Structures are given as C-alpha cells and as structure tokens.
Amino acid sequence: MDAAAGTDPATGIAPSDFSRVLAQRERRFAAALLAPAFAALLVTTTFPLIFLVWTSTFRMDLAMPFTNGFVGFENYRILLTDQRFWSSLVTSLVYTGSTVALQVAIGLALALLVMDMKRGQGWFRLIAILPVVLSPAVVGMIWRTFMLAPDFGIVDFLAINAGLGSKNWLGDPLLALISVIVIHTWQWTPFAFMVLLASLASLPEDIYEAARLDRASAWQRFRRITLPLLRPAIVMVVIMRTMVALTAFAAIFTVTSGGPGTATEILNLYAYRKSFTELSIGYGAALAVALLVVTILISAILFALRRAK
C-alpha cells in the first residue's frame, strides 16, 4: 500500500474507491442475472396485459368487421349496464367465497385430525394430496362422467339409496352451482390442509402444556391459542385460494360450460364466451380487465387484513 497516496499499488485504487467499484460490479452482475427473468416477465405478462387494456378500447367484432374501430371507454359503459356481467360477477363472488371458506374449514379440520393421529400420517398426506396434482380439466371430466351422471353416477347412486331419488345434478341451476363448488373444494382443499398442517406442526408445545395446567378445555385451547397462532397461515391460504378461484375456468368449462343457461357462468367464463364464441374480442377484453380489477381489489383488501393486528 502506498502510504503517501493512500492507494493499493496492485490496483492503483484507494480502499474507499475499491469498495464502491466492487459494489457497482456486484450490482451489474445481479442485474445481468435478473435480466433474462425480467425480459421473460415483460414478454409473458406485462406486454399482453398492456395489449389487453388497449384492445378493450376498441370495437373488435369478428362477425361484423366493418363496425370495428376505436371506441374509447364505450365497452366499459356497456359493461356497467350489462345484466349478464353483473350476474356473472355475483356468481363469481358466490363461487369464490363458498369454495375458499369450505377449503379453509375442511383443511383445518383435517389438519387437526391428522395431528392427533399416532399412525398413518404419511399415508394420509399422500392420499390427500392426490387431487391437487390432477389437471382441473381431468377433474371436471371425472366428476361429470363418473360422479354426477344421472342414474349411473356415484353421487346419484348414493342419493337414490338414501331415499332422495335421482337428481339432475348438472341440469338444475342450483344443483349445478353447488356441484361446481363441491368439485373445486374437493380438488383444492388438500392445499389448505398441507399448509395448515405444516403450520400446526410448528406451533410451540409449551404453550399448550401451560394451558392444560391451567385446565383450559380443548375448545378454549383451540380458540385462544391455535386460531390466533394460525392466523397468518389462514390469511395467506385465503389470499392464494381467492385469487385462483376468481380466475377458475377449466373445471367449470369441462363440467357445465357455464350452464345450465348462465347458472355457473363466472366472470372468467363469460369473458371467454364473449371473445371466442360470440367473437366480440373488444368487449371480451373489457370483461377480462374488469375481472383483473376485481381480483386486485379483493387481493388488496385481503392483504390489508393480513397486515392488521
């Protein structure tokens, strides 16, 4: 080290400058590592999203191309007066709220049950996770063909033997909506179960020992200890499952295609029908943007609840 100049003879750089240069090189290296992922993100998400919003400001009707052109916010004005849009939005909210509540409740119950099991936990976890690995389209076909088929389906067989008689599970509007809610709940409850089971396993045992010494009942321990400690995990499951349920498509399309009529037509499915069945691309894009806004608003509310103490 050159004492007079305060520089390193090998590099000719002062120690303070050397640290700054090293930090700059590390930042450039990190940026180089992130660049491919950032570029892929722009290509697969950002640009399509911008194009979607841009398309929603046009009238693009493939059946009547001579009427196409820029219309600004006209598609959104029509959307606000579209009763089918509001009906599909209500169906989406009912579908999402029901499935998420059932997944959390059943998943938590199963997690508490498995935690008390002395044997067979591994086998139970393996069997429980199987529905999640199946494609939603495959799940829809299984339920439509083997479970809900009139006279021959397993659910109909059980209903007949229970004295309830044969039901048209996918032909009745209310039963069809209940059916798709059950299907989504059946497939995705294992996700909530596995997350809550892992959270239960990480809870400190000494707190429960102290509660037992204080003669707290099982219900008191669950309400005063387990639920508060599981709150972050429960809220995270609710957020993740809500965002997925709002954009559900494959299972409903495979089972009912939104029918009978529009009984199971959620907003995502309505946007698909408008774009690719009725060939109204611009209005379908506006519906997709509306679904995006609804998803963002609900997610923001849930994240605010997560941060609240």
Side-chain angles (χ1 to χ4, degrees), residues 22-229:
L22 183 61
Q24 292 175 349
R25 290 178 178 175
E26 290 178 349
R27 285 195 293 269
R28 286 196 294 268
F29 181 69
L33 291 178
L34 290 173
F38 183 71
L41 185 65
L42 288 177
V43 171
T44 58
T45 59
T46 305
F47 291 155
L49 180 60
I50 294 174
F51 182 73
L52 176 70
V53 176
W54 175 253
T55 303
S56 70
T57 61
F58 284 81
R59 176 180 172 83
M60 296 179 63
D61 193 335
L62 300 184
M64 295 184 292
F66 54 86
T67 63
N68 294 348
F70 181 78
V71 294
F73 293 100
E74 180 65 17
N75 285 326
Y76 295 98
R77 187 191 66 78
I78 297 173
L79 181 147
L80 293 176
T81 59
D82 184 357
Q83 292 301 316
R84 190 174 168 187
F85 162 74
W86 293 108
S87 175
S88 63
L89 178 59
V90 171
T91 303
S92 295
L93 296 178
V94 171
Y95 176 83
T96 299
S98 301
T99 56
V100 172
L102 288 171
Q103 288 172 55
V104 172
I106 298 174
L108 180 57
L110 290 175
L112 292 170
L113 177 64
V114 171
M115 282 296 295
D116 291 334
M117 292 174 60
K118 303 301 180 182
R119 296 180 180 179
Q121 279 197 23
W123 286 106
F124 191 91
R125 293 179 186 180
L126 178 63
I127 295 172
I129 204 68
L130 288 178
V132 176
V133 302
L134 296 175
S135 166
V138 173
V139 170
M141 289 298 297
I142 291 173
W143 276 83
R144 179 172 183 171
T145 306
F146 296 105
M147 303 294 291
L148 299 174
D151 299 323
F152 303 103
I154 295 176
V155 175
D156 212 49
F157 173 79
L158 295 175
I160 293 172
N161 282 273
L164 301 177
S166 179
K167 303 290 184 182
N168 190 0
W169 300 100
L170 301 179
D172 180 88
L174 179 59
L175 292 178
L177 181 58
I178 294 174
S179 297
V180 295
I181 289 173
V182 169
I183 292 171
H184 189 89
T185 302
W186 176 82
Q187 182 175 18
W188 294 109
T189 292
F191 174 83
F193 159 69
M194 295 299 292
V195 172
L196 296 176
L197 180 63
S199 299
L200 279 173
S202 66
L203 297 184
E205 185 62 29
D206 55 342
I207 298 179
Y208 290 94
E209 290 295 335
R212 293 188 188 97
L213 292 175
D214 289 338
R215 297 182 178 180
S217 65
W219 170 248
Q220 288 174 327
R221 294 196 301 271
F222 173 75
R223 186 168 61 90
R224 301 282 182 86
I225 300 175
T226 305
L227 274 183
L229 292 178

Side-chain angles (χ1 to χ4, degrees), residues 195-269:
V195 172
L196 296 176
L197 180 63
S199 299
L200 279 173
S202 66
L203 297 184
E205 185 62 29
D206 55 342
I207 298 179
Y208 290 94
E209 290 295 335
R212 293 188 188 97
L213 292 175
D214 289 338
R215 297 182 178 180
S217 65
W219 170 248
Q220 288 174 327
R221 294 196 301 271
F222 173 75
R223 186 168 61 90
R224 301 282 182 86
I225 300 175
T226 305
L227 274 183
L229 292 178
L230 285 180
R231 181 178 176 275
I234 291 174
V235 173
M236 184 53 63
V237 169
V238 169
I239 291 172
M240 296 179 68
R241 297 312 316 152
T242 297
M243 289 188 287
V244 171
L246 283 170
T247 57
F249 177 83
I252 298 179
F253 183 77
T254 305
V255 177
T256 65
S257 296
T262 58
T264 60
E265 186 181 68
I266 61 175
L267 189 52
N268 199 22
L269 191 56

